[in-house]
Amino acid sequence: MIAIPSPLRLRLDREALVANWRWLAAQGGAAACGAALKADGYGLGAREVMHHLVAAGCRDFFVASWAEAAALMPLVEGVSLSVLHGVGEADMIAAKTLPARPVLGSLEQVARWRAAGEGRPCDVMVDTGMNRLGLRVEEALGGALDGLAIETLLSHLASADEDSAQNGQQLAAFRELKNRIPARRYSLANSAGVCLGADYAFDLTRPGLALYGGTPRPEAAGHIRQVVFPEARVLQVRSVRAGETVGYGATWTAAKDGRVAVANLGYADGYLRCHAGSGAASWQTQRLPLAGRVSMDLVAFDASDAGAIDEGDWLTLDYALAETAERSGLSQYELLTGLGKRWAREWTA
């Protein structure tokens, strides 16, 4: 098959990914630092992310589903993989075959694993305030987990990205669970939870967003490095005269004679219409503001001051996650996971 280059690419910084994991690991003190790989490694490519983090020393990984677990096989020896959505009836063949553990999150899942898990270790999620997945505290303490070989007991913080009283309430509830439910390890903190301090670390932290360049709380600012740099190839550079408009709805008008660079990029690629009015790209050292609306797979940037830019050149989108989230209204998670399959993923360093 002929290799056809994509007009879109994500330049992914391996050194930044590893540096982020090491900083997060240091915040947890003696706790092990894992990594959330769900949604294909937050859009970066789960296999590649796992490879780079294993080389750095990470041994604990988390995916959402058994399909995501299967995509990571075979695992490197010594690596632990947990499936956060637990185990349904349709998952039992995969759960009994793959070297991964279900994170049991309901009485039904616990019963299913007891009946068919053949005594294999599992993880368990207990809800301490999220009201999403997990046994209720009274269910967990009422004998439902007796006799299970629990590798890791988990809970999930609902408001760790805020200075909320709920954080302390969940911490207290999880400490009580730790005192009463035997498990080999205990895990509460996600990326934002890591930033709340070592009290939240327990035995294992499981960051996601911050690994990939997101800033979950102010404490991480200046420590977390950008990992993902989206780049789009210029299809055409065209002249526009003062007073002419660009794009659907004629929402952008040229203030002077100039040029626009049209790129192979749009909302079908996860670069959404909310970027209009605030989005930009750079070429060499020159900033190019977005000109007009975002179309399905075309956008225009004001290249009037961009010197010798030409067809075939590459533009780097302004995509630092915290800043882009603030100006676009999208969450940092959406900015990462929304980048679609048309982007080639290219690791550097």
Side-chain angles (χ1 to χ4, degrees):
M1 183 179 294
I2 299 173
I4 300 175
S6 172
L8 294 172
R9 65 191 183 196
L10 300 181
R11 180 164 50 84
L12 305 173
D13 189 330
R14 179 191 63 83
E15 289 186 355
L17 173 75
V18 170
N20 292 342
W21 178 77
R22 286 176 174 158
W23 182 82
L24 291 159
Q27 307 317 299
C33 183
L37 295 179
K38 56 188 181 177
D40 197 22
Y42 284 51
L44 279 67
R47 290 191 66 86
E48 292 78 10
V49 171
M50 175 181 271
H51 171 77
H52 296 314
L53 292 181
V54 166
C58 184
R59 292 295 180 268
D60 297 280
F61 296 92
F62 298 84
V63 293
S65 68
W66 289 97
E68 290 186 342
L72 292 172
M73 299 296 133
L75 294 181
V76 174
E77 185 176 355
V79 162
S80 165
L81 183 64
S82 300
V83 179
L84 291 164
H85 292 182
V87 60
E89 288 286 359
D91 301 320
M92 284 309 304
I93 292 176
K96 293 169 68 173
T97 304
L98 297 177
R101 295 188 306 278
V103 181
L104 306 179
S106 68
L107 292 177
E108 292 79 8
Q109 290 190 3
V110 170
R112 187 172 297 125
W113 190 248
R114 282 189 189 280
E118 301 172 352
R120 292 175 57 190
C122 60
D123 296 341
V124 173
M125 176 72 73
V126 180
D127 173 47
T128 56
M130 187 73 158
N131 267 314
R132 197 170 60 175
L133 296 179
L135 281 75
R136 298 187 67 86
V137 169
E138 59 269 25
E139 292 173 338
L141 296 178
L145 304 179
D146 292 353
L148 282 181
I150 303 174
E151 172 70 15
T152 307
L153 187 76
L154 304 85
S155 192
H156 193 73
L157 294 164
S159 304
D161 56 348
E162 308 168 14
D163 291 327
S164 170
Q166 188 179 28
N167 297 326
Q169 293 163 4
Q170 288 192 260
L171 176 61
F174 193 68
R175 281 174 170 160
E176 178 66 13
L177 291 168
K178 180 179 183 296
N179 290 334
R180 297 180 60 182
I181 298 176
R184 193 177 80 82
R185 298 187 301 181
Y186 300 85
S187 178
L188 177 63
N190 54 7
S191 290
V194 170
C195 298
L196 290 175
D199 285 349
Y200 288 79
F202 291 88
D203 301 307
L204 170 65
T205 62
R206 46 184 204 277
L209 177 68
L211 290 172
Y212 308 110
T215 305
R217 286 184 56 91
E219 293 88 344
H223 300 285
I224 295 299
R225 293 167 50 181
Q226 185 170 349
V227 177
V228 181
F229 297 84
E231 298 179 339
R233 194 169 66 207
V234 175
L235 294 174
Q236 183 184 119
V237 178
R238 57 186 301 122
S239 297
V240 292
R241 298 184 181 127
E244 290 185 337
T245 61
V246 172
Y248 286 120
T251 60
W252 186 89
T253 303
K256 61 181 181 180
D257 291 352
R259 296 177 302 157
V260 292
V262 180
N264 194 120
L265 169 70
Y267 54 75
D269 308 297
Y271 193 74
L272 304 182
R273 294 179 69 172
C274 58
H275 291 289
S278 64
S282 60
W283 178 73
Q284 297 182 353
T285 60
Q286 183 66 46
R287 185 176 186 270
L288 286 64
L290 190 63
R293 290 184 181 171
V294 176
S295 302
M296 182 181 291
D297 44 28
L298 290 171
V299 294
F301 294 93
D302 184 357
S304 299
D305 300 321
I309 188 171
D310 203 352
E311 175 186 331
D313 287 339
W314 287 88
L315 305 178
T316 301
L317 301 184
D318 287 0
Y319 220 72
L321 293 177
E323 293 85 347
T324 305
E326 184 174 357
R327 66 173 181 258
S328 69
L330 299 172
S331 74
Q332 297 179 66
Y333 300 88
E334 291 170 296
L335 289 168
L336 281 174
T337 60
L339 297 170
K341 296 297 184 183
R342 294 201 291 190
W343 300 87
R345 274 107 173 130
E346 300 180 3
W347 287 91
T348 63

